[in-house]
Amino acid sequence: MNVQRIGGASVSVWWELRRLKEKLGLDCALEKARVVADERKWDDFINAMSCVFAKRKDQPLKLAYDATFNKETGECKLGFYDGNIIQTLKGLMFKGN
């Protein structure tokens, strides 16, 4: 069972990695995280994400979002209640070696 601790490794990153079925052909933290997520090894995934005590900003993988646009006008779509730009998940961002 995956349990996301507050400030810990992102479960959403875990699920995005599980969607990647093909090898990435890289020898880095990204491929290691993909393999352990595919093998359902949560404890190894936490280690691949820089351990339990790493701050979110220091973790090698993050979710990548992009603004949602109106196809007719080209304007960013805004939230009805708060007026913020609506963003959708597009994939993962990787920083590291």
Side-chain angles (χ1 to χ4, degrees):
M1 179 168 102
N2 300 341
V3 178
Q4 182 174 359
R5 307 271 190 251
I6 295 174
S10 170
V11 173
S12 297
V13 170
W14 161 272
W15 286 113
E16 285 297 309
L17 285 170
R18 301 259 342 257
R19 292 177 59 197
L20 300 173
K21 295 299 180 189
E22 296 180 20
K23 292 183 180 180
L24 301 174
L26 304 170
D27 186 28
C28 62
L30 176 60
E31 179 62 16
K32 291 174 188 171
R34 187 200 66 80
V35 169
V36 297
D38 190 46
E39 295 174 353
R40 300 177 181 174
K41 296 181 179 177
W42 179 251
D43 54 339
D44 291 336
F45 171 72
I46 291 173
N47 290 330
M49 291 293 286
S50 300
C51 203
V52 177
F53 303 109
K55 295 180 181 178
R56 274 289 162 98
K57 66 178 185 152
D58 298 330
Q59 294 177 356
L61 289 164
K62 295 180 173 59
L63 297 174
Y65 293 95
D66 197 11
T68 304
F69 296 96
N70 184 326
K71 292 180 182 179
E72 295 176 9
T73 64
E75 295 178 342
C76 290
K77 291 184 179 180
L78 302 177
F80 181 76
Y81 294 103
D82 58 9
N84 291 333
I85 295 174
I86 297 173
Q87 296 184 338
T88 56
L89 181 63
K90 295 296 180 182
L92 295 170
M93 288 189 304
F94 173 67
K95 66 164 191 160
N97 33 355

